[in-house]
Amino acid sequence: MNIFGHLRVWISILMLLVIALPAFVPADQVARRVHEEAAWATDAFGQERMNRIVERANGAWHASIVASGLQGAISSKPETEGGSGVQQGLRRSMGALYDMTAGYLASLSNQLYAGFLRGAILVEWFSVIGVFLAAACVDGYTKRRVKIATGGLSSPVLFSWASHAMIAISLSPGVYILIPASVPPMFMPWWAMIIGRPLSLAIANAVRIR
C-alpha cells in the first residue's frame, strides 16, 4: 500500500470513529472525561495558558458547530403536540424517533466539544514541540546533503519504512482527539520524540526528483 493508501485508511478510520463512538459512550461519561482532562491540562500548562486553550476551543466550537446551526439541530426536540390526523401521527413519530436518538445526539455533542478541546491542547503543545520537530527536519536535511556531497546512496527501503511510519504516527493525534478514554496531555512530548526519528530518516533518504 502506498502513502496515499495509508492516508485514505486513516481518514476512513477517523470518520468511522466520529460516527460510531457516540453510540457506545454515554454523554455524561464524555463530560466527566472533559473535566478530568481539563484539570490535567491546567496542571501541565498553568491556569493562564489553560484559559487560552479553553478560549480557543470555545471559539472553534462556536464558529463551526453553533454558528452553523448544527448544535441547534442536535439539541432541538421536534414538536409532538397539536395537529390532527396524519399530521399528529407524523409529529408523534418524530418525537418517538428523537427520544430513541436523544442519548446518541447528546453524546455526539459532547464528543465534538471534547474533540475541539483536545485539538486546542494539541495546538498549545505544537508551540513547544514544533522546535524539536523542526530540528528533526534540519537533521534529516543535513544528512541528505552530506550523502549527496560525498556520493552516498539513499536507501529506498529506509525511506519507505520511515515514510509509512511517519504517516501513521503523524495521524495518531487525530485518534487522540476522538479516543473515548482519558489521555493525559503529557503524551505529546513522547509523541514528538517517537516521530522525530522516522521524520529525520525519511528526509535523509528521500530520492532526488530530477
Side-chain angles (χ1 to χ4, degrees):
M1 183 182 295
N2 59 24
I3 292 176
F4 293 104
H6 276 284
L7 284 174
R8 286 193 294 268
V9 169
W10 275 89
I11 292 173
S12 299
I13 291 173
L14 294 178
M15 294 300 296
L16 181 62
L17 285 173
V18 170
I19 297 172
L21 282 178
F24 302 98
V25 184
D28 57 343
Q29 181 177 332
V30 179
R32 287 195 301 270
R33 190 189 76 209
V34 169
H35 288 295
E36 185 177 28
E37 293 187 2
W40 288 341
T42 301
D43 293 338
F45 295 108
Q47 188 60 56
E48 183 178 352
R49 295 180 70 181
M50 186 60 197
N51 290 339
R52 185 163 65 243
I53 290 172
V54 172
E55 183 179 353
R56 187 182 297 128
N58 290 345
W61 165 263
H62 188 275
S64 58
I65 304 299
V66 178
S68 66
L70 180 59
Q71 175 62 16
I74 291 176
S75 59
S76 61
K77 185 174 182 178
E79 178 64 42
T80 58
E81 301 298 330
S84 59
V86 174
Q87 185 181 22
Q88 186 180 39
L90 288 174
R91 286 184 174 181
R92 289 180 177 176
S93 176
M94 291 176 61
L97 178 62
Y98 178 85
D99 291 338
M100 287 188 294
T101 59
Y104 173 85
L105 295 175
S107 180
L108 175 63
S109 179
N110 287 355
Q111 185 70 42
L112 289 173
Y113 182 79
F116 281 112
L117 181 63
R118 282 179 168 179
I121 292 174
L122 288 179
V123 170
E124 194 68 23
W125 266 122
F126 276 119
S127 65
V128 178
I129 65 175
V131 177
F132 175 80
L133 296 178
C137 292
V138 172
D139 177 68
Y141 178 75
T142 302
K143 290 178 179 178
R144 184 171 182 272
R145 295 294 297 175
V146 169
K147 284 184 179 182
I148 294 174
T150 58
L153 298 176
S154 297
S155 170
V157 175
L158 278 178
F159 173 73
S160 177
W161 173 85
S163 298
H164 286 76
M166 186 176 63
I167 289 173
I169 300 171
S170 297
L171 291 175
S172 60
V175 178
Y176 157 71
I177 288 177
L178 297 172
I179 192 170
S182 298
V183 180
M186 293 302 292
F187 96 98
M188 278 301 293
W190 293 98
W191 173 86
M193 287 188 287
I194 292 171
I195 197 177
R197 180 59 176 170
L199 176 60
S200 177
L201 279 175
I203 295 174
N205 292 280
V207 179
R208 176 182 288 183
I209 300 176
R210 299 184 182 275

